[in-house]
Amino acid sequence: DDFEKYEPVPDKRDIDLGTSLAFDYTAEKLPEHYDRVRDMFRRKGAYGRFKDFLEKKQLLEDWYAYSGSRTEERLADWCEANGFEITPKLL
């Protein structure tokens, strides 16, 4: 009930987790396909095409792991920058 106690979690674009994350992944894991991936993101439905592309390369699970890891890192950085303490996971 007391909204002053809460801080909204940033949007993925606010912590650089949008298309730039797909570009970072491609540059790191598939540099020879970087231009192709950049072209995918010039049109609507880019994430679907990107995931289809990764599935054909048998890298979709790797993408999910990479994306999850980067999300945790960026959220931790955001928490630290905004004075929030992160508690360890219980499980």
Side-chain angles (χ1 to χ4, degrees):
D1 293 330
D2 185 1
F3 290 104
E4 291 182 16
K5 295 190 306 188
Y6 300 96
E7 180 74 26
V9 175
D11 183 83
K12 67 181 182 177
R13 288 174 294 270
D14 295 334
I15 54 175
D16 207 21
L17 291 171
T19 55
S20 64
L21 187 63
F23 298 151
D24 291 347
Y25 178 82
T26 303
E28 185 178 317
K29 305 283 185 165
L30 298 161
E32 67 278 9
H33 296 287
Y34 188 81
D35 291 336
R36 179 178 180 187
V37 170
R38 294 277 306 183
D39 286 342
M40 286 180 197
F41 281 88
R42 290 191 173 114
R43 297 181 311 279
K44 193 173 185 176
Y47 274 106
R49 283 190 301 279
F50 180 62
K51 288 178 184 178
D52 288 344
F53 171 73
L54 293 177
E55 189 168 27
K56 289 175 186 171
K57 297 283 185 191
Q58 299 181 338
L59 290 171
L60 190 56
E61 291 302 317
D62 188 61
W63 159 250
Y64 288 133
Y66 180 90
S67 176
S69 175
R70 292 300 185 270
T71 299
E72 285 183 16
E73 288 172 12
R74 304 242 172 100
L75 283 172
D77 292 345
W78 178 86
C79 286
E80 184 179 324
N82 288 280
F84 294 103
E85 182 179 335
I86 299 174
T87 56
K89 293 180 184 177
L90 297 175
L91 298 176

